[in-house]
Every structure is written in structure tokens, then in C-alpha cells.
Amino acid sequence: MEIRLEKLDSSQLKTKPDENNLGFGRYFADHMFVMTFDRDRGWHDAVIRKYQDFSLPPAAMVLHYGQAIFEGLKAYRGKDNAIYLFRPTDNLRRMNVSAERMCMPAIPVDEVLAALQTLLRLDADWIPAAPGATLYIRPTMIATEEGLGVRPAGRYTFFIINSPVGAYYPEGFNPVKIFVTDKYVRAVPGGVGHVKTAGNYAASIMAAVEAQKQGFTQVLWLDAIERRYIEEVGTMNIFFLINNELITPPLSGSILPGITRDSVLRLTRDWGLTVTERKITIDEVLTAIENGSLQEIFGTGTAAVISPVGELHYKGRDCCINQGRTGAIAQRLFNEIQAIQNGYQEDPYGWAIKL
Ligand SMILES: Cc1ncc(COP(=O)(O)O)c(C=O)c1O
């Protein structure tokens, strides 16, 4: 696939935002990667060009039937000012799992990775150097065919946009308060919970808003059938350390196979911990809190890396975890994964890709 490069002149570049006040998803780098798919030509018209608006017909199928998938990964400015990506091929492969489930075309993973690397070299000045700040990368695919009727669209746009984001923990690595909902569910077996499609997030907003109104950071979802088995948090997978056993729910088809989750499983097994992917109920967690055997709870995801949980709220009860403090395993994982992501620690897994 040939990629056209429409590079902006230096006079057309945007003024960069203050690296110490980036927040999340508020600013976008100068260039984007775009390519188009149709049935006759496959993927074509690949171009790196100015970050700019799309023009879409009102009948574009994504606006009606929601064929929209995305990914989230980061570029890090690490050791010796070099730029690193963390397991980018895994994100692009996961995107193809999403594409298949949503009857959308697969992307050519190696070529898209090469395009991303070209884009990052071009917009390298957008990868922040402030401590903890990164460039968040958002590959996305939408159905653009003009037409009504529920069926797979015949035309798609794939694009990658990049957004410099601030440190997730500007004031230090602080435990969060989580609301366990038994009122709403996120995903059902046989549904689309295991893929990153936009509708999953739209459907989750109401529960998140209600939880935030009550002072909680995120929602912990239970399974949709019995509302007992723990699934995952809004944008994170979840781990429990009980009696020195590290437990996380299995990839049963209704949770996202997180890349951070996979990295945590690999690292902790290599450290010699007892690590189990198994079903775990909210009652088992509450009992473990009551009898003192629950040592830590933490979430895992690209945005936060590791997010210690200091409090769980369930059915009107507040339960304090590890006296509201970050546990030793969460801290060690956070330090080690960040060190690998930024090239400061030897990476026997081949996860960090230097640009
Ligand atoms: C629903 C959901 N679960 C888990 C995760 C964590 O996945 P990852 O570690 O690949 O970022 C995410 C973030 O992408 C998510 O949106």
C-alpha cells in the first residue's frame, strides 16, 4: 500500500499546548493517517495529511447503525529522549477482532503499523516530554456508505489521530473509589463486550454518570445474567489479591482482552506469584474483605497502567480496601510496566518498540 504524504509547512503547524496542563483528549496533533475501503478496491487512498474535519453524508451508515470500532495505545518519550510504542501490533490485531465481529473489513496490520510510525516521526514534537505525559493514539474505523438499511456497509474510513495527554496521576499514585452496579449491565454472552465498538461505551455512560454524581471514579460491572460475577471496570480490567492468590476474571467473551491485563498476567507469573484467571463473585470479594484475606484490588488499562482501588461501594455499603492505600503488587507492577514502556528497564518480552 502506497501512502501519500501531504506534509504541512511549518507556518501551518498549530501552537503546541502547555505540556503540564494537557488533561485527556483535548488537543490533537497536526497530522492524521486516513485510508478508505470499498468492496471493489479494498483499502486504498492511504494518506497522511492535516488533522481536519471529515465530510460525511447524513445517511452515512455509522450514524444510524453504529459500525464504529476503535483502539487506544500510547507513544512514550522515554530513555535518551527516544520514542517508544508498547505492544502496538497487539492493538492492531485486537482491532481486527473487533472488525470481524462488527462485519467490518480487516486492516493490514503491518502496513498500518508502518503508517503509524511514519505519522509519529512527522509529529514527533507532539510527544510530550513532561513526566508521565504521553501521546495517546486513537485508530478508528467507521462505516461511511451512504444508505439506510441494517446490513454491513460497503464503504469504510480508517483513521489514526493522536492526542498529547497529561500524566494520569499528576498528584501521585492514588487509589480510586469504585461503584459496583447491580442496576445496569455492560455486555451479554454472545454480544459485543469483548470488542472495542463505540456502542459499548455509549451504553455505559448512564451508569458512569450516576456513579460520578455520588463521588465514584468508575463503575465495576457484574455479569448480565446472574449479576454476581465480576467482569471489568469502565475502561479497565480488574485484579484481586486474596490470600496471596492474584485473581482476574477469565476472557469469557463479555470483557475486553486488555493488553495491560495480559502484560500483568505475564509479569506476575514470571515473578512466581500464584495467578489465576477464574470466575469470581462480588460475594467472594466482600467475604474476603470482611475476613481480612483481601490484600489488594487494582484495575489495569492503557490510560492508567495500574489503578489501585481504595474503596468499593455495593448495595449501599462502602468497603475499604487495604486501608485505602496502594498495595505492594500494584506499585511494583506500575513501576515495572512504566519502566518497560519508557525503555528504562530491560524488556525480555519484546513489548517496547523503539521508533
Ligand atoms: C472496556 C475496557 N476494558 C479494559 C480496557 C483495558 O484494555 P487495555 O489494557 O488494552 O488498554 C479498556 C481500554 O481499552 C476498555 O475500554
Side-chain angles (χ1 to χ4, degrees), residues 70-73 91 94 136 138 186 193 195-196 200-201 221 232-238 255-263 300-303 305:
F70 64 93
E71 269 303 324
L73 65 159
N91 285 92
R94 187 170 69 185
Y136 186 78
R138 171 50 59 85
R186 175 181 175 276
V195 299
K196 245 175 127 58
N200 283 341
Y201 298 85
W221 301 99
E232 62 181 325
V233 190
T235 55
M236 292 191 291
N237 297 108
I238 190 135
I255 67 172
L256 193 79
I259 289 160
T260 322
R261 173 190 182 278
D262 186 71
S263 308
T300 66
T302 296
V305 188

Side-chain angles (χ1 to χ4, degrees), residues 44-313:
H44 61 279
D45 265 355
V47 57
I48 289 178
R49 62 162 154 80
K50 184 181 175 189
Y51 172 92
Q52 64 189 44
D53 294 353
F54 289 121
S55 159
L56 281 181
M61 288 177 75
V62 64
L63 303 176
H64 304 270
Y65 312 112
Q67 271 182 300
I69 58 174
F70 64 93
E71 269 303 324
L73 65 159
K74 286 174 167 179
Y76 306 83
R77 191 170 285 285
K79 191 180 174 193
D80 302 329
N81 212 26
I83 296 163
Y84 293 87
L85 288 164
F86 186 70
R87 307 186 65 176
T89 308
D90 293 289
N91 285 92
L92 298 177
R93 287 199 188 122
R94 187 170 69 185
M95 188 151 195
N96 276 343
V97 176
S98 301
E100 186 177 7
R101 178 63 183 82
M102 302 306 289
C103 294
M104 298 167 84
I107 53 166
V109 168
D110 293 343
E111 288 167 283
V112 170
L113 181 57
L116 171 62
Q117 288 172 319
T118 307
L119 180 65
L120 291 174
R121 282 195 193 97
L122 193 62
D123 277 342
D125 288 350
W126 283 88
I127 303 169
T134 54
L135 188 75
Y136 186 78
I137 301 166
R138 171 50 59 85
T140 309
M141 194 198 306
I142 55 171
T144 52
E145 181 185 335
E146 184 175 28
L148 299 181
V150 183
R151 59 178 167 79
R155 195 174 167 81
Y156 297 87
T157 296
F158 172 90
F159 56 93
I160 303 177
I161 53 174
N162 295 325
S163 173
V165 300
Y168 198 87
Y169 296 108
E171 279 111 41
F173 189 46
N174 284 325
V176 294
K177 291 167 69 177
I178 300 276
F179 187 92
V180 185
T181 181
D182 56 356
K183 180 175 169 193
Y184 302 107
V185 295
R186 175 181 175 276
V188 294
V192 294
H194 62 303
V195 299
K196 245 175 127 58
T197 187
N200 283 341
Y201 298 85
S204 74
I205 291 173
M206 182 174 255
V209 168
E210 288 183 10
Q212 278 154 16
K213 270 191 198 144
Q214 296 177 65
F216 297 92
T217 319
Q218 291 218 18
V219 170
L220 176 64
W221 301 99
L222 301 177
D223 78 283
I225 309 290
E226 297 184 52
R227 303 207 186 178
R228 290 170 58 213
Y229 295 101
I230 289 177
E231 298 240 302
E232 62 181 325
V233 190
T235 55
M236 292 191 291
N237 297 108
I238 190 135
F239 285 76
F240 302 87
L241 186 67
I242 301 176
N243 271 334
N244 293 323
E245 177 193 10
L246 188 64
I247 304 159
T248 196
L251 301 178
S252 56
S254 54
I255 67 172
L256 193 79
I259 289 160
T260 322
R261 173 190 182 278
D262 186 71
S263 308
V264 164
L265 288 173
R266 187 73 198 269
L267 281 171
T268 50
R269 282 179 176 139
D270 286 358
W271 294 346
L273 299 187
T274 305
V275 184
T276 324
E277 293 171 78
R278 67 162 169 92
K279 287 182 154 196
I280 176 165
T281 62
I282 184 68
D283 296 321
E284 180 180 346
V285 172
L286 295 178
T287 304
I289 294 172
E290 270 159 26
N291 69 23
S293 59
L294 190 136
Q295 297 148 282
E296 293 186 36
I297 304 180
F298 56 85
T300 66
T302 296
V305 188
I306 302 293
S307 183
V309 176
E311 190 182 315
L312 275 189
H313 180 97

